[in-house]
Amino acid sequence: STNMADIIYKELSYKLNGLCFEVHNELGKSRSEQSYADALEVKLKEAGIKYAREQPLAPSFEGEQERRNVPDFIIEGIIILDTKAKRACTREDYYQMKRYLSVAHMRLGILVNFQEEHLHPKRILG
């Protein structure tokens, strides 16, 4: 059986993964989350990929504080990409992405932890 995650936005996600690998190769694994996001932003511009950076999404429930849902990047209006720089991604990071996708009515999120020795961007379906 074919996994939907393998098909959805295949070309664009492939490009994004490539850019993330370039950033990881250039900066190594010991920078801040901000540094990786800055470097990735430069690569997105160079590649001519449209994005919005740190654009707040709507609250996910009545009474949730403003600016609780702020993904690092929304790519081409269809993919949410979140950069991390930590020893390991947690269940919270995963739930956060699920929340972003739900609030934004999007189908695909990519979670990238740049502190990993070998980069494994994770695809998360909304």
Side-chain angles (χ1 to χ4, degrees):
S1 73
T2 312
N3 186 344
M4 274 302 291
D6 296 335
I7 298 166
I8 191 170
Y9 311 135
K10 192 172 178 177
E11 272 179 52
L12 183 53
S13 17
Y14 186 77
K15 268 188 213 160
L16 293 174
N17 283 355
L19 297 181
C20 289
F21 282 107
E22 283 178 32
V23 166
H24 193 247
N25 289 340
E26 288 165 22
L27 297 188
K29 65 182 190 93
S30 52
R31 304 291 181 94
S32 71
E33 196 175 299
Q34 194 73 44
S35 304
Y36 295 115
D38 289 348
L40 186 57
E41 184 167 16
V42 171
K43 301 242 176 243
L44 290 168
K45 281 185 182 145
E46 287 171 353
I49 294 172
K50 292 193 196 75
Y51 67 91
R53 184 167 176 188
E54 293 173 21
Q55 181 179 299
L57 303 172
S60 59
F61 60 88
E62 190 69 41
E64 185 176 36
Q65 289 179 340
E66 290 292 312
R67 295 193 61 85
R68 290 279 297 169
N69 299 314
V70 186
D72 292 318
F73 296 95
I74 297 175
I75 309 289
E76 299 277 354
I78 56 172
I79 296 177
I80 293 177
L81 190 149
D82 226 21
T83 58
K84 302 289 179 194
K86 54 206 299 191
R87 220 177 63 204
C89 280
T90 63
R91 197 174 289 159
E92 280 67 38
D93 297 321
Y94 172 80
Y95 289 144
Q96 179 185 55
M97 178 61 84
K98 290 293 263 187
R99 192 174 70 237
Y100 290 165
L101 291 168
S102 163
V103 167
H105 305 292
M106 289 188 199
R107 295 168 63 200
L108 178 65
I110 300 175
L111 190 57
V112 191
N113 181 12
F114 284 96
Q115 243 180 53
E116 293 177 322
E117 191 72 48
H118 302 287
L119 216 57
H120 298 288
K122 290 182 181 51
R123 295 166 62 85
I124 299 169
L125 292 179

